[in-house]
Amino acid sequence: MSNPPPPESSSLRHFPLFWRFWFARVCLTSGFQVLTVAIGWQVYSLTHSALDLGLVGLLQFVPRVLLVLVTGTVADRYDRRRIVAVSMAVQALVAALLLMGSRHWGFATSRELIFALSVLIGVCRAFDMPTMQALLPNVVPPQLLAPAIAAAASANEAATILAPALGGFLYAIGAAFTYGLDLAIYLIGMVLVATLNARRSESVREKPSFDSLLVGVRFIWSRPDVLGAISLDLFAVLLGGATALLPIYAGEILHTGPWGLGLLRSAPAVGALAMSAWLMRYPVRHRVGYVMFAAVAVFGLATIVFGLSEHFALSLCALVVLGASDMISVVIRSTFIQLETPDEMRGRVSAVNSLFIGASNQLGEFESGITAAAFGTVPAVVLGGVGTLVVVGLWMRWFPALAQRDTLQRTR
C-alpha cells in the first residue's frame, strides 16, 4: 500500500492519488446531477405538479434519516472504497432501468416507478456521501486537508456545471441519451474508486451498539461552533433552496425548455466552482465566523432576486451568486468537521453531517414544492429568501462565539 508524499510537500500537485479521488468524486456527483435533471423534467412532463417535484426530493431524503446511524458505522467498520463502489453500481442499475423504460423495452417509465427509484437513490446517497467525505483524510496528510477540501468541493461543482447542462441538452434529443450517459458515468466512477490505492482507516473494533451509533451526534452536539455552522446551513438552504422549482421556472416563467433547465441547474455550480478555486488559493484564515454569516446573507438575497426575475440572464446571474456564497459556508463547515474529528469517528460524524446536507437539499425541495403548491412559485421562492435572512439574524444571536470566531482551527 503506497503512502502519501512527505509532509514537506506543500501542494496538491504532489499528490496524484488525490486527483484520482477527485475524478472519482466528479463521476459520483455527475451521475447524481444527470439523474436529477432527467427525473425532474420527466416527472414534471408526466404530472405538471409542483408537489410531485417536491416528493422526489422527499423520497430521496427519507432514507438518509432512517439510515443515518447505520451508514456512519458501516463507513467506520468496512473498506470505504468498496462502500462507494457498490453504491455507484446500484445507481448505475437505476440509470439502466430508466434507460429501458424510456425506450419501452418491456415497460414504460411511470410516476410510481420514478418515486420507487428515488427511494433507492436516496439509500445509495445515504451511504456514499458520508463515506466519500470520510475517505478524503485517508488520501492527503493533515497539513493539506483544508485546500484538499476546497479542491474536493470543486469536483462537485465542476460536475454540477457540466453534468446538468449536458444532461438537459441530451434530454431534449431523447431521454435515452441522458440515461445512457448516466450509466456510463457511474460505471467509470465505480472502477476509479474501487481501485483507489488509499490508506486504510482505523476500523472500529467495538461491537455495534446503540451507544456507538450515537457517537457522531454527541460529537457535533459537544462542539457549539460546529453545531452552529451545520444548523445554519441546514435552515438557510432549507428555506432558501429553490432547485426543485427550476423546471417550473424553465417552462412557465423564463419560457425555456430542458436545455434551459440544464443551464439553470448548472449556474449555482459556476459560482461555487469559481469560489472553490479562490478558496484553494486564498483560504479564509481570519474572521471566519463573520465571513460565513455574510455569505449566507448574500445567499438569501440572491434567492430573492432569482425568485422575482423574469429574465433568463438575470436568473442565471442570481444563481451564480447564490452558488458562490453557499460554497463559503460549505468549505468552512467541512473544514471544522474534518480537522476536529478523529479518523475512527469520521464515518459516523460525516453521516450526521450528510443528513444535515440532505435535509437542506432534498427536504428543502419538498418544502419548496409544498409552499409553491400553496402560495404560488414566485412567492414561495421569495419567502424562502426572506426566511434565510431571518435565520442569519437569529443564529448570530444564538451562536455569538461562532459569529466572532477568527480562525478555522483553534490553537490547542
Side-chain angles (χ1 to χ4, degrees), residues 152-186:
S154 74
N156 284 347
E157 306 314 326
T160 308
I161 291 171
L162 298 176
L166 182 57
F169 279 115
L170 288 178
Y171 197 97
I173 301 173
F177 291 96
T178 303
Y179 292 127
L181 170 67
D182 198 55
L183 174 61
I185 289 172
Y186 273 125

Side-chain angles (χ1 to χ4, degrees), residues 171-245:
Y171 197 97
I173 301 173
F177 291 96
T178 303
Y179 292 127
L181 170 67
D182 198 55
L183 174 61
I185 289 172
Y186 273 125
L187 291 177
I188 293 171
M190 180 185 68
V191 173
L192 283 174
V193 76
T195 57
L196 186 65
N197 195 26
R199 299 191 310 273
R200 290 294 300 272
S201 60
E202 292 294 330
S203 299
V204 175
R205 302 298 181 187
E206 61 180 311
K207 293 182 178 181
S209 66
F210 185 73
D211 186 64
S212 68
L213 293 176
L214 291 175
V215 165
V217 176
R218 287 199 299 266
F219 177 86
I220 292 175
W221 188 262
S222 68
R223 284 158 172 80
D225 287 357
V226 175
L227 176 63
I230 291 176
S231 58
L232 172 67
D233 179 82
L234 165 66
F235 287 101
V237 179
L238 176 64
L239 294 173
T243 55
L245 304 178

Side-chain angles (χ1 to χ4, degrees), residues 10-333:
S10 59
S11 172
L12 289 174
R13 294 195 304 271
H14 301 138
F15 291 80
L17 187 63
F18 169 78
W19 296 108
R20 188 180 182 87
F21 171 92
W22 191 91
F23 281 110
R25 188 158 181 170
V26 166
C27 290
L28 180 64
T29 305
S30 295
F32 177 70
Q33 290 296 330
V34 170
L35 267 183
T36 299
V37 168
I39 287 175
W41 191 261
Q42 194 160 16
V43 166
Y44 188 64
S45 298
L46 289 171
T47 69
H48 296 282
S49 169
L51 181 58
D52 282 346
L53 289 172
L55 282 173
V56 170
L58 178 64
L59 291 172
Q60 291 181 10
F61 170 70
V62 168
R64 296 189 190 184
V65 177
L66 300 179
L67 298 173
V68 61
L69 300 179
V70 175
T71 55
T73 301
V74 169
D76 284 335
R77 293 185 65 86
Y78 301 103
D79 189 333
R80 291 167 181 166
R81 298 167 300 174
R82 293 182 180 178
I83 296 169
V84 178
V86 170
S87 173
M88 295 181 79
V90 174
Q91 290 174 87
L93 176 61
V94 170
L97 289 172
L98 290 169
L99 170 61
M100 294 171 62
S102 67
R103 301 295 296 177
H104 296 277
W105 292 344
F107 62 92
T109 302
S110 65
R111 171 180 179 268
E112 290 71 24
L113 176 63
I114 291 176
F115 284 171
L117 293 180
S118 294
V119 174
L120 186 56
I121 293 170
V123 171
C124 292
R125 299 289 288 176
F127 281 94
D128 64 41
M129 284 188 63
T131 306
M132 204 67 168
Q133 292 172 17
L135 182 60
L136 178 56
N138 302 138
V139 176
V140 299
Q143 68 271 16
L144 286 183
L145 188 57
I149 288 173
S154 74
N156 284 347
E157 306 314 326
T160 308
I161 291 171
L162 298 176
L166 182 57
F169 279 115
L170 288 178
Y171 197 97
I173 301 173
F177 291 96
T178 303
Y179 292 127
L181 170 67
D182 198 55
L183 174 61
I185 289 172
Y186 273 125
L187 291 177
I188 293 171
M190 180 185 68
V191 173
L192 283 174
V193 76
T195 57
L196 186 65
N197 195 26
R199 299 191 310 273
R200 290 294 300 272
S201 60
E202 292 294 330
S203 299
V204 175
R205 302 298 181 187
E206 61 180 311
K207 293 182 178 181
S209 66
F210 185 73
D211 186 64
S212 68
L213 293 176
L214 291 175
V215 165
V217 176
R218 287 199 299 266
F219 177 86
I220 292 175
W221 188 262
S222 68
R223 284 158 172 80
D225 287 357
V226 175
L227 176 63
I230 291 176
S231 58
L232 172 67
D233 179 82
L234 165 66
F235 287 101
V237 179
L238 176 64
L239 294 173
T243 55
L245 304 178
L246 290 183
I248 299 177
Y249 270 88
E252 299 181 8
I253 297 175
L254 301 175
H255 306 293
T256 64
W259 67 269
L261 173 61
L263 291 178
L264 289 173
R265 289 202 69 96
S266 297
V270 172
L273 180 60
M275 181 57 67
S276 65
W278 176 269
L279 293 174
M280 286 172 59
R281 182 68 180 86
Y282 304 103
V284 179
R285 300 187 185 279
H286 299 288
R287 303 186 71 189
V288 295
Y290 171 80
V291 171
M292 183 175 64
F293 278 106
V296 176
V298 172
F299 177 92
L301 291 172
T303 300
I304 295 172
V305 172
F306 172 77
L308 295 174
S309 172
E310 296 181 356
H311 302 282
F312 189 65
L314 177 60
S315 298
L316 287 176
C317 290
L319 290 174
V320 168
V321 173
L322 182 150
S325 57
D326 184 52
M327 176 53 59
I328 297 174
S329 175
V330 168
V331 171
I332 290 176
R333 182 187 70 245

